[in-house]
Amino acid sequence: MKRVIVLTGAGISAESGLKTFRDSDGLWEGYNIEDVATPEAWERNPELVQNFYNQRRKSVLEAVPNAAHYALAKLQDKYDVTIITQNIDDLHERAGSANVVHLHGIITRSQSSVKASLTYPIDGWEIKMGEKCELGSQLRAHVVWFGEAVPMIETAARLCSKADLFILIGTSLAVYPAAGLINYVPREVTKYIVDPNIPTASNKHIIEMPYKATIGVPMLVNDLLV
Ligand code: APR
């Protein structure tokens, strides 16, 4: 089976009602990254940060996968598919994708605030102040903040280097190290980009599909399955 590596960003979940970060009306239009998505923010005001991610979790639990998530799951019929996602939602899994690598964590789990590798399932939508990990520290959302290490990046780079086909969907490629992953894909490998606003990527054999995910991804998957 040919190995397909898919790298997704916020754009694939936009039509499920989850805001992207950098589009106009994106999440970072209403918030300062420094206030909610850094270790310093957590030190300064843990309640605010906890509440911000509790709200994100609530939105994710209320959202459902869209045609793009389902099309990628269908691609597994004929290909060995691994999805590397920057998204903290679980919509790929809910649509039926079996191999999903979460580069930036997953909002449906909590994490120790002193040891990032300690993560736990969450009962309901909220992490409450006072809920602690096994080491006695406050639980926080299992997400990678700006300034924190990205533990899955080496796994992701290795996967990209082994791709027979590469698909990039709904990401502005503004945030490193994730944005650099496309450089690990061998130059001769065909790379599709599905995004109404095609990001700049310096690699060869790029096929641009300037469509929204729910249009472009099913179209591409149909082509790949014939
Ligand atoms: N279908 C496909 N792509 C879309 C759609 C859509 N319906 N709507 C918007 N997009 C595209 C935009 O054109 C843009 O290229 O999705 C991309 C969203 O970019 P960002 O908001 O920058 O999101 P992303 O690239 O996932 O951000 C990366 O930054 O804030 C951090 O940790 C956060 O994982 C996130 C990372």
Side-chain angles (χ1 to χ4, degrees):
M1 264 193 184
K2 278 195 176 172
R3 208 181 321 218
V4 181
I5 302 299
V6 188
L7 175 60
T8 64
I12 195 165
S13 297
E15 292 162 89
S16 290
L18 300 175
K19 281 188 175 187
T20 63
F21 296 96
R22 293 173 188 79
D23 285 299
S24 59
D25 93 329
L27 204 51
W28 296 147
E29 293 268 290
Y31 292 90
N32 279 324
I33 289 175
E34 298 74 25
D35 290 340
V36 291
T38 63
E40 292 75 24
W42 175 253
E43 269 170 40
R44 246 187 343 258
N45 194 342
E47 287 83 7
L48 179 94
V49 175
Q50 193 77 280
N51 187 45
F52 174 76
Y53 286 102
N54 281 341
Q55 292 306 320
R56 305 280 75 73
R57 189 174 305 105
K58 202 168 183 205
S59 306
V60 165
L61 293 176
E62 284 164 6
V64 293
N66 64 47
H69 298 104
Y70 285 114
L72 289 178
K74 186 82 185 131
L75 198 57
Q76 296 171 130
D77 291 353
K78 207 170 148 189
Y79 296 88
D80 173 4
V81 182
T82 300
I83 298 177
I84 303 168
T85 188
Q86 298 166 83
N87 299 344
I88 57 175
D89 66 55
D90 61 349
L91 298 183
H92 286 304
E93 285 91 342
R94 279 199 259 152
S97 285
N99 306 316
V100 186
V101 173
H102 280 269
L103 275 184
H104 296 161
I106 185 159
I107 191 79
T108 52
R109 294 183 74 81
S110 64
Q111 177 183 312
S112 161
S113 51
V114 293
K115 191 170 181 196
S117 59
L118 293 178
T119 72
Y120 308 90
I122 299 172
D123 196 14
W125 66 276
E126 210 179 1
I127 304 177
K128 297 197 179 71
M129 297 312 285
E131 285 186 81
K132 303 212 163 123
C133 78
E134 67 211 62
L135 301 176
S137 80
Q138 173 63 45
L139 287 173
R140 52 169 267 195
H142 175 40
V143 299
V144 174
W145 288 327
F146 288 90
E148 291 190 316
V150 181
M152 293 308 287
I153 197 70
E154 282 177 21
T155 303
R158 203 169 338 108
L159 285 163
C160 288
S161 72
K162 301 263 167 59
D164 295 315
L165 210 64
F166 183 77
I167 306 173
L168 186 76
I169 307 163
T171 172
S172 63
L173 293 182
V175 171
Y176 283 82
L181 284 173
I182 190 168
N183 302 322
Y184 288 87
V185 183
R187 292 181 83 74
E188 67 276 13
V189 166
T190 303
K191 300 158 196 85
Y192 296 92
I193 302 186
V194 183
D195 194 309
N197 201 354
I198 301 284
T200 312
S202 58
N203 205 319
K204 284 261 188 307
H205 301 290
I206 291 178
I207 300 176
E208 300 184 354
M209 300 184 69
Y211 309 111
K212 287 185 166 190
T214 60
I215 302 292
V217 180
M219 197 191 287
L220 173 58
V221 167
N222 280 341
D223 283 357
L224 293 174
L225 286 178
V226 288

